[in-house]
Amino acid sequence: MLVTIEGIDGTGKSTLLLALKERLSDLDAVFTREPGATWVGESVRRAIAEQIDPITEATLFVADHAAHLATVVRPALAEGKLVISDRYSDSRFAYQSVTLAGVIPNPEGWLRAMHNGWSIVPDKTILLVIPVDDALARLATKSGREHFERREILEKVQNRYLEFARAEPNRFVIVDALKEKDEIAGFVADAIRQIVTNGQKHTKK
Ligand code: TYD
């Protein structure tokens, strides 16, 4: 089972991930992330920091995804493990379709085509949603902002995410990121347990 956690910057993903590690410790899940689960992630971080051209940046994110699948995700799934990834392909489809708008003709189509045939679609995607003003207020306390963390970008990125959720309502679980952090962690942990139970029922049939 592959569960991904998505949302714009400032939704509290990192806090949620820490809480899930504790709450789901009995499940022996593999917690992982994009970018940066492998050394390829270092070039991605450098590309983000240097604000390199958006095509270079996008292709590095895809390269990081390929390395992540090859070295972490596929081996763990092959062992029957639950994999929980902090960001995954929907981050590309949401962020890079915004950063590549006006740069190439059909960014989302191009990005999806780059993943087709080898990437693995998540079984479930938890999408944290927050008013952009609240996300920005949370980010204001953080040092070293990334170039994605601007209102115009985050608004568009969150709209993309919401479109994806509308298009695939069975895969996405939308979570109100303004709720109290223990409530969010409890809700998401229960949702993941449910996914695991349902998955086991399927494989037993
Ligand atoms: P992340 O490591 O989640 O952020 P943080 O450093 O705040 O923990 O991701 C770094 C940034 O990269 C974040 O703004 C989202 C962006 N991103 C993309 O634009 N495309 C992608 O495919 C991924 C995985 C992340």
Side-chain angles (χ1 to χ4, degrees):
M1 284 279 143
L2 171 61
V3 176
T4 61
I5 317 275
E6 296 277 0
I8 58 170
D9 305 82
T11 47
K13 249 177 347 82
S14 311
T15 311
L16 171 63
L17 262 302
L18 278 178
L20 289 178
K21 278 182 194 159
E22 231 168 73
R23 285 175 186 254
L24 300 175
S25 57
D26 58 305
L27 294 184
D28 193 24
V30 172
F31 282 88
T32 184
R33 62 170 301 153
E34 287 187 12
T38 73
W39 63 263
V40 183
E42 288 162 30
S43 44
V44 178
R45 297 246 168 240
R46 183 166 167 188
I48 299 175
E50 291 184 14
Q51 300 207 24
I52 202 163
D53 94 280
I55 298 179
T56 308
E57 184 178 81
T59 48
L60 284 173
F61 272 121
V62 178
D64 178 64
H65 179 60
H68 184 213
L69 278 182
T71 58
V72 180
V73 180
R74 273 186 210 287
L77 292 177
E79 281 178 33
K81 292 225 164 121
L82 167 66
V83 178
I84 300 177
S85 186
D86 176 1
R87 297 196 181 280
Y88 192 77
S89 45
D90 292 301
S91 280
R92 237 107 48 232
F93 304 151
Y95 281 81
Q96 272 60 53
S97 65
V98 173
T99 59
L100 289 171
V103 177
I104 56 169
N106 171 12
E108 193 186 329
W110 184 77
L111 290 159
R112 290 197 186 271
M114 277 222 282
H115 288 72
N116 281 351
W118 58 273
S119 185
I120 298 174
V121 178
D123 295 290
K124 280 283 172 200
T125 297
I126 311 289
L127 175 60
L128 297 172
V129 176
I130 191 170
V132 173
D133 280 336
D134 293 276
L136 288 167
R138 290 183 187 186
L139 290 171
T141 58
K142 193 179 119 179
S143 60
R145 307 252 305 248
E146 275 139 7
H147 67 94
F148 305 108
E149 299 174 352
R150 297 206 318 263
R151 178 186 306 276
E152 321 81 83
I153 305 265
L154 292 185
E155 246 158 33
K156 287 183 191 152
V157 171
Q158 181 152 274
N159 287 339
R160 305 316 324 269
Y161 272 130
L162 290 169
E163 278 169 36
F164 305 158
R166 269 194 292 276
E168 289 183 75
N170 291 333
R171 172 157 74 90
F172 280 85
V173 178
I174 294 184
V175 177
D176 175 0
L178 281 184
K179 289 228 156 75
E180 206 269 315
K181 67 179 189 321
D182 282 339
E183 192 183 339
I184 296 176
F187 174 80
V188 174
D190 286 349
I192 293 176
R193 284 187 191 280
Q194 192 65 46
I195 293 157
V196 171
T197 314
N198 290 346
Q200 281 162 351
K201 271 190 226 145
H202 277 294
T203 45
K204 273 187 200 139
K205 261 185 213 158

